[in-house]
Amino acid sequence: MKEVLYNGLKFVPYIDRETIAKRVKELANEITRDCKDKNPLFICVLNGAFAFASDLFRAIDMDAEITFIRLKSYEGTGTTGNVKQIQGLSEDIKDRTVIVVEDIVDTGFTMKRLIADLQEKQPADIKVASLLFKPESLKCDLNIDYVGFSIPTKFIIGYGLDIDEQARNLADIYVINEDAK
Ligand code: IMP
Ligand code: MG
């Protein structure tokens, strides 16, 4: 693996595809164990979580369903603090176990807002699975049930994560190289 350039910024390899695959499998096993017989509905938060959700869901060993919602809160490498729901949920989730699948929790505002919206629909339980989590960036009270990797507050791309919609196709995760001149 070598460094990549986007928007004039340099990114270096951070988490390789084998490490991601191993961790995703572990999370899938945990979720399968915790939610057996509940026929949970996975809610993939587009766009960023598509890669994670696809790998996670295929590693789930029980009856389960998946659906997709679309939110947007980021522009460039900073959060806008303003979460837009672009495509909502069409399924009835009343009395169901739902598992929200996110690529990354940064300030937590996106997830907080989404959980509040879902809560109004009276599901039996809401669990959150996030591939990545930046604990030092968290600005609200939020419980994440399944975390793939806790990472420092640095901008990352790849495996679904973007910089202005680019780089989602990278199979590995890269971190911004702040030492770059
Ligand atoms: P939050 O509302 O600040 O927690 O932001 C969550 C959303 O911002 C995620 O769903 C991502 O789409 C995006 N995001 C946060 N950190 C990064 C990053 O390092 N790279 C790419 N997108 C990010
Ligand atoms: Mg996202």
Side-chain angles (χ1 to χ4, degrees):
M1 281 201 282
K2 53 176 178 5
E3 60 191 44
V4 292
L5 267 175
Y6 287 93
N7 285 9
L9 299 168
K10 199 195 253 184
F11 292 82
V12 293
Y14 189 50
I15 309 175
D16 65 49
R17 62 196 80 184
E18 290 81 17
T19 307
I20 298 169
K22 183 166 173 282
R23 187 71 188 120
V24 170
K25 184 82 189 126
E26 287 170 358
L27 294 179
N29 291 344
E30 261 185 73
I31 295 172
T32 301
R33 198 191 55 216
D34 294 350
C35 301
K36 201 105 207 159
D37 304 321
K38 298 220 165 104
N39 194 356
L41 175 66
F42 286 71
I43 302 178
C44 168
V45 183
L46 296 172
N47 292 335
F50 79 91
F52 173 45
S54 170
D55 287 342
L56 182 75
F57 192 65
R58 285 178 296 162
I60 293 292
D61 186 19
M62 65 180 155
D63 290 340
E65 295 175 23
I66 189 165
T67 190
F68 304 86
I69 57 168
R70 190 159 177 216
L71 306 178
K72 193 168 166 57
S73 71
Y74 247 63
E75 257 160 42
T77 60
T79 183
T80 58
N82 159 15
V83 184
K84 273 191 281 185
Q85 183 145 333
I86 294 174
Q87 178 193 313
L89 196 65
S90 43
E91 286 75 6
D92 181 12
I93 61 168
K94 190 164 188 303
D95 301 326
R96 291 200 68 176
T97 295
V98 302
I99 302 171
V100 180
V101 182
E102 248 296 26
D103 50 357
I104 188 163
V105 173
D106 185 19
T107 62
F109 290 135
T110 305
M111 189 53 72
K112 189 94 186 163
R113 152 88 194 274
L114 178 56
I115 290 172
D117 287 353
L118 292 175
Q119 209 83 60
E120 283 182 16
K121 302 175 193 288
Q122 301 178 296
D125 193 12
I126 302 176
K127 292 183 182 295
V128 177
S130 186
L131 179 68
L132 298 139
F133 175 41
K134 296 180 184 170
E136 291 147 19
S137 296
L138 192 65
K139 291 201 176 71
C140 54
D141 174 30
L142 184 71
N143 178 48
I144 312 173
D145 302 272
Y146 308 98
V147 174
F149 305 94
S150 287
I151 62 168
T153 301
K154 285 188 178 165
F155 191 75
I156 58 166
I157 55 168
Y159 193 69
L161 291 127
D162 72 305
I163 175 159
D164 286 337
E165 300 303 325
Q166 295 295 306
R168 297 193 195 275
N169 54 318
L170 298 175
D172 309 282
I173 294 174
Y174 290 72
V175 64
I176 196 159
N177 181 0
E178 281 154 351
D179 310 328
K181 295 258 155 56

